[in-house]
């Protein structure tokens, strides 16, 4: 898969570009469906399949307070898209200037002149251009004038429910990671370096790796069975129980992410790790003291082992495919 940084760097190519446009946050089942559509259409037309996405998220520029917590940062998103077999992803920097581009000009200068689209797939609720004034009808009419076709994609339904990034975010924020996994096609993940904690876990006999709070969506406070990878994407999956919360038993007031490796481990401060959420074991709650907390942690570990034993161990990089 070719990654093009900006439409001005588009390579020349034979055949039409079969394009779709979107944020693709999470690269979930609906996104995978769209990737299949553009791959198949490109094959039929002898062209190339391409995704146009934006970085940062457009709401970061036009309405920062409304920008949702993202499930995937750019590099994770690109890694997941690479598993989908598309030919090209165009990452367009989203700027105030681009946000102010009129919808018709966006179609002419970017889709037609720079990307040379022959067929464009967009969702039924697609809006674009200054003030989000552009819609599917405008894209279709402009495409007819400029010589490309527009196809509208209906909502993707799985298990009787519409699959969307916003719906999956709601599940994660409620701690419903198993349901989110079903729609993502893989576990929700966070990555970051291991930072130094206060050592309390080690003192009570349950050492933990404190993961730096990430810039992506973190599931609701609680205790989770997880796969844990030292070294990030390329690491071997290790069973772990991870606590997200403020540690109310000890009067904490800052949310932390602490993973206890079930098979033990070494100190790995500063190393990048990856946490893949499999199942929520319980909510966060305050205990009477360290002894009661340790008893509960031991119980959590046993339940976590069972949940992970029931889950197929992921391969080298557990991402939707």
């Amino acid at each position: 898969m070719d990654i093009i940084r900006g439409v001005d760097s588009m390579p020349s190519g034979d055949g039409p570009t079969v394009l779709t446009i979107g944020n693709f946050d999470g690269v979930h089942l609906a996104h995978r469906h769209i990737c299949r559509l553009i791959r198949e259409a490109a094959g039929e037309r002898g062209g190339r399949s391409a995704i146009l996405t934006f970085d940062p998220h457009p709401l970061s520029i036009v309405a920062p307070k409304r920008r949702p917590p993202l499930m995937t940062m750019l590099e994770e998103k690109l890694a997941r898209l690479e598993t989908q077999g598309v030919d090209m992803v165009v990452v367009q920097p989203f700027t105030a200037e681009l946000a102010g581009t009129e919808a018709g000009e966006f179609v002419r200068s970017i889709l037609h002149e720079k990307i040379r689209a022959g067929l464009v797939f967009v969702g039924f609720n697609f809006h674009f251009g200054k003030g989000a004034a552009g819609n599917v009808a405008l894209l279709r009419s402009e495409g007819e004038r400029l010589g490309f076709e527009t196809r509208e994609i209906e909502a993707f339904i799985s298990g009787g429910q519409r699959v969307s990034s916003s719906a999956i975010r709601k599940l994660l924020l409620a701690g419903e990671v198993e349901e989110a996994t079903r729609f993502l096609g893989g576990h929700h993940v966070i990555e970051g370096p291991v930072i130094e904690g206060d050592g309390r876990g080690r003192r009570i006999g349950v050492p933990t790796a404190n993961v730096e709070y990430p810039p992506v969506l973190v599931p609701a406070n609680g205790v989770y069975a997880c796969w844990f990878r030292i070294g990030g994407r390329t690491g071997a999956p290790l069973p772990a129980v991870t606590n997200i919360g403020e540690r109310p038993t000890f009067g904490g007031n800052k949310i932390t992410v602490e993973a206890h490796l079930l098979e033990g481990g070494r100190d790995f401060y500063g190393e990048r790790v990856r946490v893949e959420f499999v199942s929520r074991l319980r909510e966060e709650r305050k205990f009477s003291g360290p002894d009661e907390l340790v008893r509960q942690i031991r119980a959590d570990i046993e339940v976590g082992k069972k949940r992970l034993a029931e889950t197929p161990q992921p391969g080298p990089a557990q991402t939707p495919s």
Side-chain angles (χ1 to χ4, degrees), residues 20 64 74 102-103 136 144-145 156 198 225 234 261 269 288 295 309:
T20 190
L74 178 60
E102 298 290 347
V136 179
E144 289 173 354
R145 183 177 65 84
F156 184 82
D198 56 18
T234 59
L261 274 65
Y269 292 127
S288 60
R295 285 194 295 272

Side-chain angles (χ1 to χ4, degrees), residues 298-312:
R298 298 298 181 196
D300 294 337
I301 288 171
E302 293 307 309
V303 177
K305 287 178 180 178
K306 292 178 182 177
R307 298 274 178 91
L308 292 171
E310 296 166 355
T311 305

Side-chain angles (χ1 to χ4, degrees), residues 61-213:
I61 302 299
V62 300
K65 292 183 179 179
R66 288 172 41 216
R67 198 212 79 167
L70 300 180
M71 293 180 284
T72 46
M73 301 305 288
L74 178 60
E75 295 310 314
E76 174 72 16
K77 178 166 66 175
L78 292 174
R80 295 186 182 201
L81 287 173
E82 190 165 19
T83 71
Q84 301 308 306
V86 297
D87 296 317
M88 178 187 305
V89 176
V90 182
V91 181
Q92 178 62 30
F94 197 88
T95 62
E97 181 182 0
L98 182 60
T101 302
E102 298 290 347
E105 175 63 14
F106 176 86
V107 175
R108 183 189 63 78
S109 64
I110 293 181
L111 304 189
H112 175 60
E113 295 180 359
K114 297 290 179 63
I115 298 179
R116 300 180 294 283
L119 170 60
V120 180
F121 284 87
V122 292
F124 65 97
N125 58 353
F126 178 66
H127 286 84
F128 64 99
K130 183 178 179 180
N135 56 20
V136 179
L138 186 146
L139 179 62
R140 181 173 286 117
S141 65
E142 287 293 294
E144 289 173 354
R145 183 177 65 84
L146 295 168
F148 67 80
E149 181 185 352
T150 299
R151 293 186 190 173
E152 184 178 339
I153 307 169
E154 294 300 319
F156 184 82
I157 306 298
S158 177
Q161 298 182 58
R162 179 188 166 202
V163 179
S164 69
S165 296
S166 58
I168 297 170
R169 291 186 197 108
K170 288 180 181 178
L171 290 171
L172 292 171
L173 290 170
E176 298 178 30
V177 296
E178 290 175 270
E179 188 75 354
T181 293
R182 189 164 70 84
F183 293 138
L184 280 169
H187 304 310
H188 178 61
V189 305
I190 63 173
E191 278 198 23
V194 173
I195 59 176
E196 216 166 329
D198 56 18
R200 185 176 283 116
R202 188 174 302 280
R203 290 197 296 274
I204 63 175
V206 190
T208 60
N210 290 261
V211 183
E212 184 175 81
Y213 199 84

Side-chain angles (χ1 to χ4, degrees), residues 282-301:
R282 63 173 175 85
E283 76 288 349
E284 182 183 41
R285 61 180 183 268
K286 184 176 181 179
F287 295 93
S288 60
D291 291 342
E292 185 184 12
L293 172 62
V294 169
R295 285 194 295 272
Q296 181 61 58
I297 291 174
R298 298 298 181 196
D300 294 337
I301 288 171

